[in-house]
Amino acid sequence: MQFKHAPVAVSAVFDDPNLVSVAGLVPMLRLARSAGLDELAQSRLSVPTDKGANAGGKVMALVAGMLAGADSIDDMNLLRHGGMGRLCDRTYAPSTLGSFLREFRFGHVRQLDAVASRTLVNLASAAPLLQIRDGERVMVDVDDTIIEVHGYQKQGASFGHSGVRGLNALVATAPTTTSAPVILAQRLRQGKTGSPKGAARIVADTLATLRRMDLGSSVRPLLRADSAFYGHATIGTAIKAGADVSVTVRMDPAVKTARPATRRRRRPHRCHRGHRRTMEHPRRR
């Protein structure tokens, strides 16, 4: 008779010094370096104290960890397994990368936005990320989504409009008929954050990145969004940047007053005996 039916705990460690578990990092990191990711991060990030030293190498390490599937600081230790030390000049400990990220303020996030935008522009100059046919428009889609998380100590996690505990991600993408959607801008926010908060800044950054990608002077972007982004800040920013707008409009009192009057369809009513009558033929007394 078996006393305990719980599965035996198994721990798997990749420690072969001659092999790496994620060989696909080699071409990806070479592509990131050719696009200038490490140099841009090194020159534009101003993280204070010694924790911000060698910002370019630390950003490259964080990107490599995320590409390899890391979703926490502890998971960044996978960059130190096996033969990774032979592929990388320097492998950082997870605690070092965590201390680097904990020094970030919103200003540093904006600096990373500038780094990401310029890296994307460099990639677009070397590879056809957005292929546009003659007469085609660039569609820019803006929307937010909830990333579900677990645990009460997750920073920024809360219940938003969806009723799911998580973080709110605002993303702007640009698809075409022949190209997959390209992420042009993104922002990770608290779970309870409303959809339109900060959308004007995302729209401005997205359209500025499109202009730097040199798609042609005749290409006019079209911003598409749902009714959550119907507001003067977002729409005004897009129009000022030279884009057209297609947005779902909420039926608020101002819109109802501005729209042309339409004749309502008269619905039939029923008297107390169940017979149908209309507004033109009221029940006889």
Side-chain angles (χ1 to χ4, degrees):
M1 180 176 179
Q2 186 176 354
F3 174 72
K4 188 176 182 180
H5 294 271
V8 180
V10 178
S11 177
V13 178
F14 192 92
D15 55 0
D16 192 313
N18 300 314
L19 300 176
V20 294
S21 59
V22 281
L25 285 179
V26 176
M28 294 301 297
L29 293 183
R30 284 183 176 177
L31 180 62
R33 174 164 289 183
S34 65
L37 175 59
D38 54 341
E39 295 179 357
L40 287 168
Q42 185 67 31
S43 61
R44 290 188 170 271
L45 275 178
S46 59
V47 180
T49 70
D50 59 333
K51 297 178 176 60
N54 195 19
K58 292 176 181 176
V59 169
M60 288 283 286
L62 290 168
V63 171
M66 289 186 290
L67 288 174
D71 60 359
S72 66
I73 293 299
D74 292 338
D75 289 348
M76 298 302 298
N77 199 38
L78 61 85
L79 297 179
R80 309 175 75 189
H81 288 174
M84 291 297 296
R86 298 187 179 185
L87 295 179
C88 304
D89 295 337
R90 182 182 302 176
T91 54
Y92 293 96
S95 58
T96 302
L97 298 175
S99 299
F100 172 67
L101 292 177
R102 278 189 287 271
E103 293 294 325
F104 271 59
R105 301 297 181 265
F106 185 71
H108 302 116
V109 174
R110 294 295 292 159
Q111 291 175 352
L112 274 181
D113 287 340
V115 171
S117 174
R118 285 158 177 79
T119 302
L120 180 61
V121 172
N122 293 338
L123 283 175
S125 63
L129 297 182
L130 285 176
Q131 300 181 11
I132 304 175
R133 297 177 178 177
D134 294 338
E136 185 181 3
R137 308 194 66 172
V138 179
M139 306 297 179
V140 178
D141 296 325
V142 178
D143 202 358
D144 64 336
T145 183
I146 299 296
I147 303 174
E148 185 177 5
V149 299
H150 305 278
Y152 294 100
Q153 296 182 352
K154 189 71 172 179
Q155 184 178 7
S158 56
F159 293 95
H161 58 83
S162 64
V164 177
R165 181 182 180 86
L167 300 172
N168 186 291
L170 182 61
V171 183
T173 60
T176 65
T177 56
T178 56
S179 302
V182 177
I183 299 178
L184 299 176
Q186 62 282 318
R187 174 80 72 249
L188 189 62
R189 311 176 295 179
Q190 290 186 352
K192 62 182 180 181
T193 304
S195 298
K197 184 176 180 181
R201 180 180 288 136
I202 288 288
V203 169
D205 293 347
T206 300
L207 297 178
T209 301
L210 275 179
R211 288 194 300 268
R212 297 192 191 101
M213 293 175 71
D214 194 19
L215 301 177
S217 58
S218 61
V219 177
R220 187 177 179 87
L222 174 63
L223 177 70
R224 302 185 298 186
D226 57 28
S227 59
F229 301 93
Y230 173 66
H232 179 269
T234 305
I235 305 305
T237 300
I239 295 176
K240 186 178 179 180
D244 295 330
V245 177
S246 174
V247 61
T248 306
V249 179
R250 293 190 299 268
M251 295 302 295
D252 54 22
V255 173
K256 293 180 179 179
T257 303
R259 71 172 183 168
T262 57
R263 183 179 180 182
R264 292 185 177 181
R265 181 182 177 184
R266 296 183 176 182
R267 295 182 299 177
H269 293 258
R270 294 182 182 275
C271 62
H272 67 283
R273 294 181 180 178
H275 299 289
R276 296 171 63 88
R277 65 184 178 88
T278 61
M279 296 297 292
E280 294 89 345
H281 301 88
R283 178 167 55 89
R284 297 180 180 179
R285 296 183 181 276

